[in-house]
């Protein structure tokens, strides 16, 4: 299955890359890193098994396709019992898993379990998305997959009792980078026919400004996945793509990671704000994996994310109450 927007999203990819040669002249010199951080399995913390028992009050529609590749699939989590039609269509949390752009799956318990258990019984639809992985595709193609999945989900939202205009994007780790990138390109995606969404929750991405990350000591994973071409780093960097016209961001970041993702989150938020957009940073004394796994547990952390989500739309705020 393909969607009508596919050729236009391919055009988006070409347009995103077109001005790179000129833009590179304004970047600082890309000197090789003097040292590298040791990767302690950081990007594999997505594990924890798959969801085998659905949370109470939740049903799943598995493997909804948005493309022809076996990984171009999404799972849709709905209330097990129909809600009153008086409440109106449900808002949607659109979740993108992490795994270093190379691994991960939409059904992992850390991706789904606590989030679906908290939000679906409150009247949300929760969608968990797979996408093609490196090395079969590059990071830009992964972002295009996320945009295709979003467009497909919005077009099918009514059949799930959901509102295509009340989507909140969410992603962890590599998925946080991908949703941050898609959110940065929201004005262009609107021109290509994607329905506007409410905002984006980015869960502990450390690749918000890719050229800067690659010019400093960094994890070896980045060299494997992002290569050595500064033009490509720029092409997949959310920081350079924002205009101030994109939906609001919330950047959740771990204060315990050695690569200090909160510095990137703060820099990205300040950049968005300087351009007239809305962005906030939510530092958490949690590990990279806990930022994903603990979201949905009854905690100050979950409530702070919900405060941001509720600020995006009155229907979202009402359901969260």
């Amino acid at each position: 299955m393909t969607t009508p927007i596919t050729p236009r999203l391919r055009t988006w990819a070409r347009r995103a890359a077109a001005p790179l040669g000129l833009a590179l002249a304004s970047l600082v010199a890309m000197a090789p890193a003097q040292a590298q951080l040791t990767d302690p399995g950081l990007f594999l913390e997505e594990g924890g098994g798959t969801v085998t028992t659905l949370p109470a009050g939740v049903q799943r529609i598995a493997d909804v396709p948005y493309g022809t590749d076996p990984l171009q699939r999404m799972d849709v989590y709905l209330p097990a019992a129909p809600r009153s039609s008086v409440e109106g269509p449900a808002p949607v949390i659109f979740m993108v898993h992490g795994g270093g752009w190379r691994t991960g799956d939409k059904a992992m318990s850390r991706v789904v379990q606590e989030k679906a258990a908290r939000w679906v019984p409150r009247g949300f639809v929760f969608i968990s998305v797979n996408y093609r992985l490196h090395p079969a595709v590059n990071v830009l193609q992964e972002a295009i997959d996320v945009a295709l999945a979003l467009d497909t989900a919005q077009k099918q939202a009514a059949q799930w009792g959901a509102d295509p205009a009340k989507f909140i994007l969410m992603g962890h780790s590599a998925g946080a980078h991908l949703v941050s990138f898609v959110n940065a390109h929201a004005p262009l995606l609107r021109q290509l026919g994607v329905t506007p969404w409410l905002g984006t929750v980015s869960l502990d991405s450390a690749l918000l400004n890719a050229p800067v990350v690659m010019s400093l000591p960094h994890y070896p994973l980045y060299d494997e996945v992002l290569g050595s071409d500064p033009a490509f780093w720029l092409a997949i960097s959310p920081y350079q793509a924002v205009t101030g016209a994109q939906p609001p961001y919330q950047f959740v970041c771990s204060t315990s990671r050695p690569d200090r993702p909160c510095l990137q989150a703060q820099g990205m938020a300040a950049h968005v704000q300087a351009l007239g957009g809305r962005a906030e940073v939510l530092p958490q004394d949690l590990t990279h994996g806990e930022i994903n796994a603990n979201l949905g547990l009854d905690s100050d952390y979950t409530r702070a994310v919900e405060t941001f989500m509720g600020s995006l739309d009155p229907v979202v705020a009402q359901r969260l109450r």
Side-chain angles (χ1 to χ4, degrees):
M1 172 183 173
T2 57
T3 63
I5 201 170
T6 304
R8 287 179 285 165
L9 283 172
R10 289 175 179 156
T11 301
W12 166 46
R14 290 194 295 271
R15 288 174 62 181
L20 297 181
L22 292 175
L24 283 174
S26 65
L27 293 177
V28 296
M30 296 300 167
Q34 298 298 311
Q36 288 184 328
L37 296 168
T38 300
D39 178 1
L42 177 70
F43 301 101
L44 300 179
E45 284 193 315
E46 287 281 358
T50 58
V51 176
T52 55
T53 303
L54 291 177
V58 178
Q59 63 174 315
R60 175 176 58 211
I61 303 172
D63 293 321
V64 176
Y66 64 89
T68 57
D69 190 277
L71 284 175
Q72 291 175 315
R73 300 289 184 270
M74 51 190 165
D75 293 343
V76 182
Y77 295 82
L78 308 167
R83 293 176 67 94
S84 169
S85 60
V86 176
E87 294 180 299
V92 178
I93 298 170
F94 181 87
M95 178 71 191
V96 181
H97 71 77
W101 303 277
R102 304 170 302 175
T103 63
D105 187 80
K106 58 182 169 54
M108 290 184 298
S109 59
R110 289 190 174 189
V111 175
V112 174
Q113 196 78 39
E114 304 300 339
K115 302 176 187 70
R118 184 171 181 93
W119 292 321
V120 174
R122 298 187 181 200
F124 288 78
V125 170
F126 183 83
I127 299 176
S128 187
V129 180
N130 267 355
Y131 49 92
R132 293 171 297 166
L133 299 168
H134 180 86
V137 298
N138 65 36
V139 173
L140 183 58
Q141 290 169 307
E142 292 181 4
I144 292 171
D145 274 7
V146 171
L148 283 170
L150 173 62
D151 181 63
T152 301
Q154 289 176 318
K155 285 181 167 56
Q156 298 185 29
Q159 72 187 53
W160 305 321
D163 188 335
K166 295 191 187 300
F167 273 58
I168 298 172
L169 309 191
M170 182 178 290
H172 176 248
S173 193
H177 162 262
L178 294 173
V179 297
S180 297
F181 181 88
V182 168
N183 200 64
H185 286 86
L188 178 55
L189 290 173
R190 286 196 293 267
Q191 293 175 24
L192 297 176
V194 178
T195 301
W197 55 93
L198 298 177
T200 291
V201 179
S202 176
L203 301 173
D204 209 33
S205 171
L207 195 75
L208 298 172
N209 191 333
V212 168
V213 170
M214 298 303 288
S215 71
L216 298 171
H218 55 267
Y219 291 111
L221 164 72
Y222 292 148
D223 296 312
E224 175 189 340
V225 175
L226 306 181
S228 59
D229 183 0
F232 184 70
W233 304 340
L234 186 59
I236 53 85
S237 184
Y239 184 98
Q240 284 75 17
V242 294
T243 62
Q246 65 289 313
Y249 280 107
Q250 183 183 54
F251 298 105
V252 182
C253 57
S254 168
T255 59
S256 66
R257 282 178 60 171
D259 55 342
R260 305 176 71 185
C262 288
L263 292 179
Q264 282 217 41
Q266 291 158 2
M268 179 76 170
H271 182 52
V272 171
Q273 292 163 2
L275 293 170
R278 179 184 163 197
E280 62 182 60
V281 179
L282 180 62
Q284 291 295 301
D285 185 19
L286 298 169
T287 69
H288 182 62
E290 288 170 344
I291 280 180
N292 193 27
N294 292 8
L295 184 58
L297 296 175
D298 189 23
S299 64
D300 291 342
Y301 165 39
T302 294
R303 285 187 286 274
V305 172
E306 290 178 339
T307 296
F308 170 77
M309 294 195 299
S311 74
L312 302 174
D313 180 83
V315 172
V316 172
Q318 190 277 329
R319 301 267 171 126
L320 291 171
R321 287 196 296 268

